[in-house]
Amino acid sequence: MTDHCFATDLTRRRLLSGTATTVTLSTVGLAGCLGSEIPEPIALDGDQHCDQCGMVISEHPGPAGQTYFEGDLPEGRDGPAWFCSSKCTYNYEFDMEDRGETTQVTYLTDYSAVDYGVEGEGDSLVITAHLAADAFADADGLVLVAGSDVEGAMGTALIPFSDADDAEAFAADYGGEIVSHAEVTRELLAGV
């Protein structure tokens, strides 16, 4: 007896391919309806002033950051809050969360994605700044080296990497402890 489940010329591969396409299109469509599109990072190489401390971002070394909030923050700006350092990024974010604001996404300089340098500046070592939009990555996917001998705009920096091996190599050269984005706390920032 012949199985007549597929009265048309529909093969298993075509069925699965069509199902996968339908699921993908449905997911994309649903994401758009729910407003869950995550805004992209922007370049911070203009004359932007840090929303935490007021310093001109492009005039300082080290990792920079930007955070999009679900509300109208910073008030009147169509875009993210921007920061001269990873420390300012986290401090501002913690302050806003204390006020009941919700973070949509935080971007930090990804030192796995750029050709960075560590240079002497006075008695200190500083890591170069990278402010193009493609130098930033979602902080959720980064590991950070905290408490190394390398500084950024606000002194000792949290140096972010998307590749854990890069973070380990950096820590082997310059010291520091490797932490995830989720492990960054006010207490950690105060101790760095």
Side-chain angles (χ1 to χ4, degrees):
M1 184 165 187
T2 306
D3 184 6
H4 296 291
C5 290
F6 296 108
T8 65
D9 187 29
L10 188 62
T11 65
R12 183 173 189 268
R13 177 176 285 161
R14 286 180 61 196
L15 174 66
L16 293 175
S17 175
T19 302
T21 300
T22 303
V23 169
T24 301
L25 291 174
S26 298
T27 303
V28 169
L30 182 58
C33 291
L34 296 176
S36 64
E37 242 181 77
I38 303 297
E40 295 293 320
I42 63 169
L44 296 179
D45 53 3
D47 64 350
Q48 294 104 330
H49 289 75
C50 177
D51 285 314
Q52 177 70 15
C53 71
M55 295 190 334
V56 177
I57 297 166
S58 62
E59 294 179 0
H60 299 281
Q66 46 191 289
T67 301
Y68 286 91
F69 293 92
E70 290 189 4
D72 184 27
L73 283 175
E75 193 171 307
R77 182 182 302 155
D78 185 25
W82 44 61
F83 309 100
C84 67
S85 70
S86 48
K87 288 171 84 171
C88 282
T89 304
Y90 283 109
N91 281 321
Y92 188 92
E93 193 172 310
F94 289 143
D95 290 347
M96 292 303 105
E97 287 173 359
D98 288 348
R99 289 181 27 191
E101 302 295 343
T102 302
T103 299
Q104 189 174 13
V105 64
T106 296
Y107 293 107
L108 295 171
T109 306
D110 176 8
Y111 282 93
S112 291
V114 298
D115 186 19
Y116 70 89
V118 174
E119 306 163 344
E121 187 173 286
D123 293 337
S124 302
L125 292 174
V126 295
I127 193 165
T128 52
H130 298 273
L131 304 174
D134 63 358
F136 292 90
D138 186 335
D140 284 336
L142 301 175
V143 292
L144 302 99
V145 179
S148 73
D149 296 331
V150 177
E151 298 182 356
M154 299 302 289
T156 304
L158 299 168
I159 313 292
F161 295 89
S162 57
D163 184 320
D165 291 338
D166 292 343
E168 289 174 17
F170 185 88
D173 289 342
Y174 302 106
E177 169 190 1
I178 298 173
V179 297
S180 71
H181 168 67
E183 293 174 308
V184 177
T185 62
R186 286 187 187 272
E187 295 73 28
L188 176 74
L189 290 174
V192 175

